[in-house]
Amino acid sequence: LHPLLTLIQPERVPDLVNSLVRMAEQSPAGVPVWPLQGRETGCMIGYHSAVVVAEAHAKGFAGIDFQAAWPLWRKRAMDDDYRGLALYRQLGYIPADKAPEAVSKTLEYAYDDWAVAELARAAGADEDRRHLISRSQNYRNVFDPATGFARARHADGSWIEPFDPRAMGHTDRWRDFTESNAWQATFLNQHDIYHFIAQFGGDAPFVQKLDALFAADSTLPANAPPDIAGMIGQYAHGNEPSHHVAYLYAYAGQPWKTQALVRRLLREMYDDKPDGEAGNDDCGQMSAWYILNALGLYPVDPVSGIYVLGSPAVLQADLALSGGRLHIVAHDNKPDHVYVQSVRFNGQAHSRNWIRHSELIAGGLLEFEMGPQPNLDFGVDQDDRPPSYI
C-alpha cells in the first residue's frame, strides 16, 4: 500500500511517516510493528515500520524528521531484547528451539536490517550502515543448500529433523514459520536477490525451484492457518509473504514467466463478488497489489526506489503524480496478449525491465507493446534486469 501511496497520493506520505516517528517516540512499545487506530497491537513479527520510513527517504520525500527517526529504529535493531532479536544478533539467526516462528523472524529481521541501513544513510552513520547491510544477509543462515529450502535450526547450529517443506513447524509447541511454510518462506528475499539466487547455484537451478513452487501439490497440513490461501502450487497469493515472488523470474533472466503469472493472478485471484479477493486485505495490501500490477509495475524492494515491470492489464491509465502526469498505454493488449514485446518511455526505447520512482514521478508516457508469445530477449541481459543493491 505505501509504495502505491508514494505514487498516487504523495501528499499523504510525510504525515503518515511522521506519525510513525511520533509513535516510536511516544509508545511504550517502541517503534511501530502493527498499530491499529493509533495503538500498537504487536500482533505481527518484524518491525516493518522501518520499511515505510526508509522507503520515504529513498524516494526523496521532504518534510520528514529522519534525524529523529534514526536513533529510534537503531535502538530496535541494535539494542532491544525483542522477540528473538538478541539471539539474531548473537547467532545470525533465531534458533527454532528457543523462540517461536524463528525462521520467518530471521528472514523478516534481515529485510528490516536493510531498511534501517537506509535510515543510517540518512543520518550519515556509515559504520552502522555497513554493519546493517552485512547483517541483512543473515537469511543465508537459515537456508539449507542440501534441500534448497529455508528451514529451522537448533541453537547448536544443526538442522532440525524431520523436515517437511509443507509443515508449519517441527513441533506442536510452536510454529517455525509465520502464516507460511518453508515453500513460501524460502523465497522471502526482496533486497539481496542476486546473492540469494547464487545460494541455489545460479539462474537455471533457481528458476527450476521457482517452477517447482508453482507446480507443487497445493495440499496443506491440517494445522495450516487460513491465511495461507489463493494457492497456485505452494505459492499463496492470499498472504503477504508471497506477493513479490512472481517477479523473481525477472531477476533470473526469464521475465516472460513473471508476465504470464502476473496476468494469471490478476485474472484468477480477484473478482467483483463481496469475497472477491484471494485473502485478507490487510491494510489494503491485496487491493494495492492489484492496482500496481494492473498498471504493469511492482515494487519488489520498496527501499530500492525502483519498480519491476510486469504485464499491464489496462489498455491505458493516467496518473496525476507529484512531478506531472504519467500516461500508461498498453498497445494491442488482449486477454491472451500477456507478454511484453517492448517498452518505450517518453518515446525512447526502454530495454530495462525496471524503472526508477524518480523517472515515473516526473511524468510522461510509458508504453508497452503486448503480444501472445514471449519476447525472449526483452529484459534478459544482465544490465536490463532489475538491480539489487547489496
Side-chain angles (χ1 to χ4, degrees), residues 219-247:
T219 303
L220 294 168
N223 66 339
D227 310 80
I228 305 177
M231 306 297 289
I232 297 179
Q234 282 290 312
Y235 169 90
H237 190 71
N239 209 26
E240 292 92 332
S242 290
H243 275 178
H244 67 291
V245 173
Y247 283 84

Side-chain angles (χ1 to χ4, degrees), residues 74-372:
R74 185 193 186 281
K75 179 177 182 296
R76 174 58 49 90
M78 301 293 205
D79 301 324
D80 287 353
D81 186 4
Y82 176 84
R83 295 187 178 180
L85 261 177
L87 288 165
Y88 174 83
R89 288 190 289 262
Q90 177 188 352
L91 300 175
Y93 69 97
I94 299 176
D97 53 347
K98 299 293 185 182
E101 302 178 343
V103 181
S104 290
K105 285 177 178 174
T106 299
L107 297 169
E108 302 275 0
Y109 286 149
Y111 188 65
D112 287 334
D113 283 341
W114 167 242
V116 179
E118 176 67 17
L119 300 182
R121 185 172 77 89
D126 294 338
E127 184 176 348
D128 283 333
R129 179 177 178 271
R130 287 190 294 270
H131 174 69
L132 287 161
I133 287 175
S134 175
R135 206 172 75 178
S136 77
Q137 295 184 313
N138 278 349
Y139 65 86
R140 298 177 176 187
N141 297 328
V142 290
F143 180 78
D144 175 16
T147 63
F149 285 101
R151 55 181 294 199
R153 303 182 77 163
H154 290 105
D156 66 7
S158 61
W159 299 111
I160 293 179
E161 300 288 354
F163 173 67
D164 176 0
R166 288 187 176 84
M168 301 298 106
H170 70 283
T171 174
D172 291 336
R173 181 184 176 194
W174 54 47
R175 294 169 174 158
D176 297 332
F177 304 93
T178 303
E179 298 179 1
S180 61
N181 59 22
W183 268 115
Q184 293 124 35
T186 292
F187 296 98
L188 194 55
N189 191 310
Q190 298 163 250
H191 64 294
D192 188 29
I193 297 175
Y194 292 109
H195 290 125
F196 174 59
I197 290 173
Q199 301 296 298
F200 293 83
D203 289 345
F206 181 70
V207 166
Q208 290 176 356
K209 191 72 173 185
L210 278 173
D211 289 345
L213 168 74
F214 288 102
D217 187 326
S218 295
T219 303
L220 294 168
N223 66 339
D227 310 80
I228 305 177
M231 306 297 289
I232 297 179
Q234 282 290 312
Y235 169 90
H237 190 71
N239 209 26
E240 292 92 332
S242 290
H243 275 178
H244 67 291
V245 173
Y247 283 84
L248 296 179
Y249 283 113
Y251 292 80
Q254 295 192 17
W256 58 89
K257 290 187 176 179
T258 292
Q259 295 156 19
L261 268 169
V262 165
R263 287 288 279 273
R264 180 180 176 184
L265 292 166
L266 288 166
R267 182 177 67 250
E268 295 183 5
M269 298 297 169
Y270 298 84
D271 62 39
D272 58 358
K273 299 181 178 66
D275 61 347
E277 292 175 334
N280 178 11
D281 198 15
D282 284 335
C283 299
Q285 48 87 18
M286 290 291 295
S287 306
W289 192 97
Y290 186 93
I291 295 168
L292 285 161
N293 282 273
L295 295 172
L297 309 166
Y298 194 71
V300 170
D301 172 17
V303 178
S304 71
I306 72 161
Y307 302 85
V308 186
L309 302 183
S311 176
V314 298
L315 299 179
Q316 59 181 336
D318 282 292
L319 286 73
L321 306 181
S322 58
R325 298 192 70 86
L326 176 67
H327 187 48
I328 297 174
V329 179
H331 298 288
D332 204 21
N333 203 5
K334 302 174 183 178
D336 63 336
H337 286 203
V338 303
Y339 297 106
V340 175
Q341 306 301 298
S342 62
V343 175
R344 292 187 300 276
F345 187 53
N346 290 332
Q348 300 296 314
H350 184 90
S351 63
R352 288 187 278 126
N353 193 39
W354 58 280
I355 194 164
R356 295 181 179 89
H357 178 80
S358 58
E359 293 174 299
L360 286 181
I361 61 170
L365 176 61
L366 178 63
E367 298 175 89
F368 295 83
E369 292 288 343
M370 307 301 296

